[in-house]
PDB file of all heavy atoms in Angstrom:
ATOM      1  N   ASP A 487      25.448 -41.068   2.528  1.00  0.00           N
ATOM      2  CA  ASP A 487      24.387 -41.765   3.161  1.00  0.00           C
ATOM      3  C   ASP A 487      24.428 -43.271   2.795  1.00  0.00           C
ATOM      4  O   ASP A 487      23.375 -43.941   2.975  1.00  0.00           O
ATOM      5  CB  ASP A 487      22.991 -41.103   2.799  1.00  0.00           C
ATOM      6  CG  ASP A 487      22.823 -41.132   1.214  1.00  0.00           C
ATOM      7  OD1 ASP A 487      23.635 -41.723   0.545  1.00  0.00           O
ATOM      8  OD2 ASP A 487      21.763 -40.562   0.790  1.00  0.00           O
ATOM      9  N   ASN A 488      25.566 -43.727   2.340  1.00  0.00           N
ATOM     10  CA  ASN A 488      25.739 -45.122   2.007  1.00  0.00           C
ATOM     11  C   ASN A 488      26.530 -45.850   3.150  1.00  0.00           C
ATOM     12  O   ASN A 488      27.613 -45.448   3.428  1.00  0.00           O
ATOM     13  CB  ASN A 488      26.591 -45.266   0.712  1.00  0.00           C
ATOM     14  CG  ASN A 488      26.793 -46.691   0.210  1.00  0.00           C
ATOM     15  OD1 ASN A 488      27.561 -47.389   0.716  1.00  0.00           O
ATOM     16  ND2 ASN A 488      25.945 -47.063  -0.745  1.00  0.00           N
ATOM     17  N   GLU A 489      25.863 -46.796   3.775  1.00  0.00           N
ATOM     18  CA  GLU A 489      26.443 -47.466   4.939  1.00  0.00           C
ATOM     19  C   GLU A 489      27.750 -48.168   4.613  1.00  0.00           C
ATOM     20  O   GLU A 489      28.735 -48.167   5.396  1.00  0.00           O
ATOM     21  CB  GLU A 489      25.430 -48.459   5.510  1.00  0.00           C
ATOM     22  CG  GLU A 489      25.954 -49.120   6.840  1.00  0.00           C
ATOM     23  CD  GLU A 489      24.944 -50.150   7.335  1.00  0.00           C
ATOM     24  OE1 GLU A 489      23.728 -50.028   7.080  1.00  0.00           O
ATOM     25  OE2 GLU A 489      25.387 -51.038   8.102  1.00  0.00           O
ATOM     26  N   GLY A 490      27.755 -48.814   3.479  1.00  0.00           N
ATOM     27  CA  GLY A 490      28.969 -49.536   3.045  1.00  0.00           C
ATOM     28  C   GLY A 490      30.206 -48.642   2.888  1.00  0.00           C
ATOM     29  O   GLY A 490      31.332 -48.901   3.320  1.00  0.00           O
ATOM     30  N   PHE A 491      29.938 -47.462   2.265  1.00  0.00           N
ATOM     31  CA  PHE A 491      31.053 -46.524   2.042  1.00  0.00           C
ATOM     32  C   PHE A 491      31.452 -45.896   3.397  1.00  0.00           C
ATOM     33  O   PHE A 491      32.723 -45.784   3.637  1.00  0.00           O
ATOM     34  CB  PHE A 491      30.584 -45.382   1.098  1.00  0.00           C
ATOM     35  CG  PHE A 491      31.666 -44.424   0.708  1.00  0.00           C
ATOM     36  CD1 PHE A 491      32.896 -44.826   0.305  1.00  0.00           C
ATOM     37  CD2 PHE A 491      31.371 -43.065   0.821  1.00  0.00           C
ATOM     38  CE1 PHE A 491      33.815 -43.917  -0.031  1.00  0.00           C
ATOM     39  CE2 PHE A 491      32.403 -42.145   0.491  1.00  0.00           C
ATOM     40  CZ  PHE A 491      33.649 -42.566   0.029  1.00  0.00           C
ATOM     41  N   ALA A 492      30.508 -45.620   4.292  1.00  0.00           N
ATOM     42  CA  ALA A 492      30.871 -45.107   5.591  1.00  0.00           C
ATOM     43  C   ALA A 492      31.709 -46.107   6.390  1.00  0.00           C
ATOM     44  O   ALA A 492      32.659 -45.728   6.991  1.00  0.00           O
ATOM     45  CB  ALA A 492      29.557 -44.770   6.360  1.00  0.00           C
ATOM     46  N   SER A 493      31.307 -47.359   6.371  1.00  0.00           N
ATOM     47  CA  SER A 493      32.064 -48.385   7.066  1.00  0.00           C
ATOM     48  C   SER A 493      33.492 -48.572   6.477  1.00  0.00           C
ATOM     49  O   SER A 493      34.405 -48.661   7.203  1.00  0.00           O
ATOM     50  CB  SER A 493      31.305 -49.745   6.882  1.00  0.00           C
ATOM     51  OG  SER A 493      32.052 -50.759   7.523  1.00  0.00           O
ATOM     52  N   ASN A 494      33.580 -48.491   5.137  1.00  0.00           N
ATOM     53  CA  ASN A 494      34.897 -48.628   4.461  1.00  0.00           C
ATOM     54  C   ASN A 494      35.840 -47.527   4.934  1.00  0.00           C
ATOM     55  O   ASN A 494      37.011 -47.736   5.303  1.00  0.00           O
ATOM     56  CB  ASN A 494      34.653 -48.579   2.986  1.00  0.00           C
ATOM     57  CG  ASN A 494      35.962 -48.397   2.226  1.00  0.00           C
ATOM     58  OD1 ASN A 494      36.124 -47.336   1.552  1.00  0.00           O
ATOM     59  ND2 ASN A 494      36.825 -49.355   2.207  1.00  0.00           N
ATOM     60  N   VAL A 495      35.347 -46.276   4.911  1.00  0.00           N
ATOM     61  CA  VAL A 495      36.208 -45.060   5.297  1.00  0.00           C
ATOM     62  C   VAL A 495      36.531 -45.104   6.746  1.00  0.00           C
ATOM     63  O   VAL A 495      37.672 -44.856   7.182  1.00  0.00           O
ATOM     64  CB  VAL A 495      35.486 -43.803   4.869  1.00  0.00           C
ATOM     65  CG1 VAL A 495      36.326 -42.552   5.330  1.00  0.00           C
ATOM     66  CG2 VAL A 495      35.315 -43.760   3.379  1.00  0.00           C
ATOM     67  N   ILE A 496      35.505 -45.347   7.604  1.00  0.00           N
ATOM     68  CA  ILE A 496      35.682 -45.212   9.074  1.00  0.00           C
ATOM     69  C   ILE A 496      36.682 -46.282   9.515  1.00  0.00           C
ATOM     70  O   ILE A 496      37.639 -45.871  10.383  1.00  0.00           O
ATOM     71  CB  ILE A 496      34.331 -45.377   9.807  1.00  0.00           C
ATOM     72  CG1 ILE A 496      33.475 -44.187   9.523  1.00  0.00           C
ATOM     73  CG2 ILE A 496      34.546 -45.603  11.320  1.00  0.00           C
ATOM     74  CD1 ILE A 496      32.021 -44.309   9.959  1.00  0.00           C
ATOM     75  N   SER A 497      36.592 -47.446   9.119  1.00  0.00           N
ATOM     76  CA  SER A 497      37.506 -48.515   9.550  1.00  0.00           C
ATOM     77  C   SER A 497      38.973 -48.195   9.076  1.00  0.00           C
ATOM     78  O   SER A 497      39.989 -48.431   9.764  1.00  0.00           O
ATOM     79  CB  SER A 497      37.077 -49.885   9.096  1.00  0.00           C
ATOM     80  OG  SER A 497      37.057 -49.967   7.688  1.00  0.00           O
ATOM     81  N   MET A 498      39.036 -47.686   7.866  1.00  0.00           N
ATOM     82  CA  MET A 498      40.348 -47.402   7.269  1.00  0.00           C
ATOM     83  C   MET A 498      41.063 -46.255   7.981  1.00  0.00           C
ATOM     84  O   MET A 498      42.246 -46.387   8.324  1.00  0.00           O
ATOM     85  CB  MET A 498      40.177 -47.060   5.798  1.00  0.00           C
ATOM     86  CG  MET A 498      41.481 -47.207   4.937  1.00  0.00           C
ATOM     87  SD  MET A 498      41.070 -46.934   3.167  1.00  0.00           S
ATOM     88  CE  MET A 498      40.049 -48.310   2.799  1.00  0.00           C
ATOM     89  N   ILE A 499      40.331 -45.130   8.243  1.00  0.00           N
ATOM     90  CA  ILE A 499      41.068 -43.956   8.855  1.00  0.00           C
ATOM     91  C   ILE A 499      41.307 -44.345  10.328  1.00  0.00           C
ATOM     92  O   ILE A 499      42.174 -43.725  10.906  1.00  0.00           O
ATOM     93  CB  ILE A 499      40.251 -42.703   8.721  1.00  0.00           C
ATOM     94  CG1 ILE A 499      38.923 -42.755   9.345  1.00  0.00           C
ATOM     95  CG2 ILE A 499      40.121 -42.337   7.245  1.00  0.00           C
ATOM     96  CD1 ILE A 499      38.134 -41.413   9.283  1.00  0.00           C
ATOM     97  N   ASN A 500      40.445 -45.168  10.937  1.00  0.00           N
ATOM     98  CA  ASN A 500      40.654 -45.510  12.384  1.00  0.00           C
ATOM     99  C   ASN A 500      42.053 -46.210  12.537  1.00  0.00           C
ATOM    100  O   ASN A 500      42.771 -46.082  13.450  1.00  0.00           O
ATOM    101  CB  ASN A 500      39.576 -46.426  12.905  1.00  0.00           C
ATOM    102  CG  ASN A 500      39.794 -46.891  14.296  1.00  0.00           C
ATOM    103  OD1 ASN A 500      39.664 -45.979  15.194  1.00  0.00           O
ATOM    104  ND2 ASN A 500      40.118 -48.094  14.522  1.00  0.00           N
ATOM    105  N   GLY A 501      42.390 -47.017  11.493  1.00  0.00           N
ATOM    106  CA  GLY A 501      43.648 -47.794  11.527  1.00  0.00           C
ATOM    107  C   GLY A 501      44.840 -46.873  11.260  1.00  0.00           C
ATOM    108  O   GLY A 501      46.011 -47.364  11.465  1.00  0.00           O
TER     109      GLY A 501
END
Side-chain angles (χ1 to χ4, degrees):
D487 57 7
N488 183 282
E489 183 183 338
F491 185 50
S493 175
N494 168 246
V495 173
I496 290 169
S497 61
M498 200 175 293
I499 64 175
N500 179 70

